[in-house]
């Protein structure tokens, strides 16, 4: 690993060098806290603005979809989600169902959610297949296919916290940790700059 990426921020308080130290020390608590911080500050905190007039359900759901795909890649140990995006959503909602998390309510409609919400918003800036987004009401109204984006985001935070707690409880050599380390190897590899750009500052977040 090139030393020029040691100072790249993986979260607001953890650089590549620090993560490598945590991994070498098999510091499960430290790494779990890092994962929680990385996802929270990227996908949770920005939505918690106190200015309600600035909020929008579609923006919230777009961020939620990004987070689900990224979080699932940590769960699975995938280097990326190329040709795995639909699978990521199906596996995520199925696990939520098994773990009695509220987002498990979408497990039976995971493929339709992926097509109508994830792909609709991220590719067309709109939902398709009759899905609708609101910021009030129940988490999900199956009769009208309405998602409460605020409630969805809140439940996604709980899913993140559940993952990090499972990391804290699991053995260092358990599959959940092997997958995380595989994913982090790729995250760190992605920090490396093209050789022609090695003079560029490398303290930006990735």
């Amino acid at each position: 690993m090139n030393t020029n990426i040691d100072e790249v921020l993986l979260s607001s308080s953890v650089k590549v060098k620090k993560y490598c130290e945590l991994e070498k020390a098999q510091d499960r608590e430290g790494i779990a806290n890092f994962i929680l911080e990385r996802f929270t500050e990227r996908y949770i905190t920005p939505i918690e603005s106190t200015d309600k007039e600035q909020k929008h359900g579609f923006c919230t759901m777009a961020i939620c979809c990004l987070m689900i795909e990224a979080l699932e890649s940590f769960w699975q140990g995938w280097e990326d989600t190329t040709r795995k995006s639909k699978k990521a959503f199906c596996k995520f909602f199925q696990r939520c169902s098994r773990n009695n998390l509220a987002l498990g309510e979408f497990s039976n409609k995971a493929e339709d959610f992926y097509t109508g919400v994830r792909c609709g918003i991220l590719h067309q800036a709109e939902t398709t297949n009759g899905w609708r987004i609101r910021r009030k009401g129940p988490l999900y109204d199956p009769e009208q296919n309405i998602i409460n984006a605020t409630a969805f985001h809140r439940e996604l935070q709980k899913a993140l916290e559940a993952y990090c707690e499972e990391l804290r409880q699991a053995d260092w050599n358990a599959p959940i940790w092997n997958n995380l380390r595989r994913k982090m190897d790729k995250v760190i590899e992605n920090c490396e700059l093209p050789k022609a750009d090695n003079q560029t500052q490398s303290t930006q977040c990735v």
Side-chain angles (χ1 to χ4, degrees), residues 186-199:
K186 186 61 177 180
V187 169
I188 292 172
E189 179 184 325
N190 288 336
C191 294
E192 297 193 46
L193 294 167
K195 294 186 181 301
D197 298 329
N198 277 346
Q199 300 303 314

Side-chain angles (χ1 to χ4, degrees), residues 34-35 49 54 70 75 100 104 107 115 139 145 151 174 191 198 201:
F34 151 65
I35 294 295
S49 170
Q54 298 298 316
W75 264 103
N100 297 315
S107 61
T115 301
L139 170 64
N145 231 20
C191 294
N198 277 346
Q201 289 185 346

Side-chain angles (χ1 to χ4, degrees), residues 6-19:
D6 285 349
E7 297 302 307
V8 173
L9 286 165
L10 299 173
S11 70
S12 61
S13 68
V14 177
K15 297 179 180 179
V16 169
K17 182 178 180 180
K18 178 63 177 177
Y19 170 77

